[in-house]
Amino acid sequence: ALYADMGHFGRKPIRLAWYGLVLPGLFLNYLGQGALVLHHPEASVNPFFGLAPSKWALYPLVALATAAAAIASQALISGCFSLTMQAVQLGYAPRVGIAHTSSSERGQIYIPVVNWALMVACVGLVLVFKTSENLAAAYGIAVVLTMVITTCLFFFTARRRWKWSGPLTGALCAVFLAVELSFLGANLIKLGHGGGFPLAIGLAGLTLMSTWKTGRTRLRQRLASSLLPIADFLKSVSEFAPVRVKGTSVFLAGNPEGTPLALTHSLKHNKTLHERVILLTVLIEEVPYVEKERRVEVADLGNSFWRVVGRYGFMEEPRVSEILMGCKEQGLKVKELESTFYLSRETVIPSRRPGLARWRKHLFALMSRNAQSATAYFRLTPNRVVEMGMQIEI
C-alpha cells in the first residue's frame, strides 16, 4: 500500500506523513504496550486496548481502531488495483477492465474483478478463521515474509540501480535479515495453525503470473516464426499491386518489426488494401511513466505504409486515440472515427509440444479466453474494428 501511494502522490508527501506522524505514533504506541506488559503481564492478552486508563477511554480506542482498519483496508484495496494494472502492463497478468475514477488525477482507478475477488477473500477469511486470534498466525507469517522479501529486493535495487558495492550491500542486508529471519523462525510453528494460508495465496498468485508470462512468451515465439519481414511484404505489394480502396486501416501489431498477421490474412482473403495502411505497436517500458516527447514514433515505410510505435510506462494506461493524436505532430493525420482497425484474436490450443507442463497450458488457455478483448482495453470504437481469428498451438 505504501508503494502504491508513493506512486500516486510522490515521495515527499509520503516521507512527511511517515516521519512526521506515522513513525512517532507507532514508536510511542509500541513502547507504551511494552511498558504495560512489563508492569502488568496479564495485559499481554490484548495490550492495545489495555492501554485505556479506564473503561470510558475504551470506546475512543475502539473508534480509533475501527477508523484505522477502514483507512488501512482502503489503502490496500487501492494498492491491489495499482499492482494489478502494473502486472497487466508488464505482461504478468491478462487484460482486465480498468475504470478511471478521476479525469485529472493519474492512477485513480477501479478494477471490478479485483474488488470482487477481495470481497470473496475477506468473507472466506472470516468464515474460516472465525476469530482475530486465529487470524493472528496468518498475519504474522505474511508480515515477516514481506519484510524478508523487501530486504532481498533492496539488495538488488542497491546493486543494480544505485551501484553499491556487493560487500557493503550484503553486510547491510545481513543486519536486517538477522532480525527478520529470527522472527520468521519463531513464526514457523504457526504454519499448522493458519500460517500456511498466506503461503498458499502467494503460491497461487505466483503460479498464475508465471504461467501467463511464460505462456505469452511461448505464444509470441510461435507467432514470430510465422511473421513475414515487412521489407518482403512491401516488396510483394509493389510488384503485385493489390486493389487500393479509399480510407485508412490501422493494424495492431505486437511485434514492431514484422508484418502483422491480421494484415497478411486480410490481404489474402479480401485481395484489397486501403489507400493508407498504418502498423501500430504499443510498447510498455519498465519505467513508471514515459516522457511526452517519446510517446509516439512515426516512420514512413513508403507506398502509403506507416509504422507507428506508442510507448507507455507500467503505471500508464495505453490509449490508441492518444497515439493517433500524437501522429499529427509528426505529419501523419489520422481520423479515428474514419479509420478501420484490424487486430488478430488468437485461440490458444494446448498441445504436446515440449517446454510447458500440459496443466499449465490448459491454465494459460483458460486465462487467455477470459482476458479482456483488445478492443475494450484500447478503448476502440467497436463498429470500427475487424477481428481476424486464428488458432495457435503451444
Side-chain angles (χ1 to χ4, degrees):
L2 179 66
Y3 166 77
D5 288 338
M6 189 163 62
H8 294 157
F9 304 111
R11 287 181 293 181
K12 187 176 180 179
I14 298 300
R15 282 175 172 171
L16 288 175
W18 178 260
Y19 291 112
L21 179 64
V22 178
L23 182 58
L26 286 174
F27 189 70
L28 292 173
N29 179 37
Y30 290 145
L31 284 181
Q33 291 187 43
L36 176 67
V37 172
L38 287 175
H39 286 82
H40 304 282
E42 68 277 4
S44 62
V45 176
N46 206 327
F48 175 75
F49 291 108
L51 289 172
S54 59
K55 289 185 178 180
W56 68 266
L58 183 62
Y59 298 101
L61 276 183
V62 172
L64 177 64
T66 304
I71 293 171
S73 66
Q74 289 301 310
L76 287 172
I77 290 171
S78 65
C80 288
F81 290 162
S82 180
L83 291 174
T84 300
M85 186 183 77
Q86 294 170 37
V88 171
Q89 303 291 60
L90 293 173
Y92 285 95
R95 292 187 296 263
V96 295
I98 301 175
H100 287 261
T101 58
S102 174
S103 58
S104 58
E105 294 295 330
R106 178 183 288 175
Q108 299 297 320
I109 59 175
Y110 170 72
I111 304 179
V113 64
V114 174
N115 197 54
W116 281 100
L118 289 173
M119 186 205 72
V120 172
C122 288
V123 173
L125 281 174
V126 172
L127 295 177
V128 172
F129 288 95
K130 295 183 175 64
T131 65
S132 58
E133 287 79 8
N134 294 335
L135 189 60
Y139 179 80
I141 289 286
V143 170
V144 174
L145 282 177
T146 300
M147 293 178 180
V148 173
I149 293 172
T150 301
T151 301
C152 295
L153 291 175
F154 172 81
F155 175 83
F156 290 103
T157 301
R159 291 281 293 132
R160 296 178 182 178
R161 187 170 183 83
W162 303 333
K163 308 301 180 182
W164 288 12
S165 67
L168 174 64
T169 309
L172 182 60
C173 291
V175 174
F176 290 113
L177 287 174
V179 179
E180 294 162 357
L181 292 177
S182 65
F183 283 143
L184 179 60
N187 278 274
L188 289 178
I189 61 174
K190 300 178 180 179
L191 285 177
H193 304 279
F197 180 79
L199 296 179
I201 295 296
L203 181 61
L206 175 63
T207 300
L208 292 174
M209 294 175 68
S210 61
T211 298
W212 181 258
K213 184 69 172 180
T214 306
R216 291 299 301 177
T217 301
R218 301 285 181 185
L219 187 61
R220 281 195 297 269
Q221 292 173 349
R222 292 279 294 128
L223 293 174
S225 63
S226 59
L227 287 182
L228 180 68
I230 188 63
D232 294 345
F233 179 83
L234 293 176
K235 182 179 179 181
S236 65
V237 169
S238 299
E239 295 177 352
F240 308 98
V243 177
R244 306 293 287 259
V245 297
K246 290 185 177 182
T248 300
S249 58
V250 181
F251 291 86
L252 271 68
N255 189 326
E257 301 296 334
T259 305
L261 290 176
L263 174 56
T264 56
H265 282 226
S266 176
L267 180 60
K268 176 181 177 180
H269 294 288
N270 299 326
K271 313 298 183 184
T272 61
L273 288 174
H274 284 87
E275 59 183 0
R276 185 169 58 172
V277 179
I278 298 175
L279 312 182
L280 175 61
T281 301
V282 179
L283 298 179
I284 305 298
E285 300 190 355
E286 293 187 0
V287 294
Y289 305 103
V290 170
E291 300 84 356
K292 185 178 180 180
E293 54 271 17
R294 295 183 55 241
R295 175 76 72 202
V296 180
E297 177 184 334
V298 178
D300 187 354
L301 302 179
N303 203 8
S304 296
F305 279 79
W306 299 78
R307 172 81 72 181
V308 176
V309 178
R311 290 183 169 84
Y312 285 85
F314 59 76
M315 291 194 70
E316 299 176 295
E317 185 180 10
R319 292 180 177 271
V320 169
S321 58
E322 182 183 16
I323 297 174
L324 296 181
M325 289 179 62
C327 292
K328 295 180 182 179
E329 302 175 1
Q330 303 188 40
L332 178 61
K333 296 182 179 180
V334 184
K335 295 182 178 180
E336 182 181 359
L337 296 179
E338 297 180 6
S339 303
T340 303
F341 295 86
Y342 291 83
L343 51 92
S344 59
R345 189 178 184 89
E346 302 90 6
T347 300
V348 178
I349 300 177
S351 67
R352 297 187 179 275
R353 292 174 178 270
L356 196 64
R358 190 165 178 81
W359 67 269
R360 295 187 71 186
K361 292 180 180 181
H362 284 281
L363 177 59
F364 174 71
L366 177 64
M367 296 172 69
S368 181
R369 286 196 299 270
N370 289 277
Q372 186 186 40
S373 67
T375 301
Y377 183 73
F378 290 114
R379 302 290 196 273
L380 300 176
T381 305
N383 59 5
R384 306 299 306 178
V385 174
V386 176
E387 291 191 358
M388 311 294 289
M390 61 190 70
Q391 294 182 342
I392 305 293
E393 288 188 353
I394 61 170

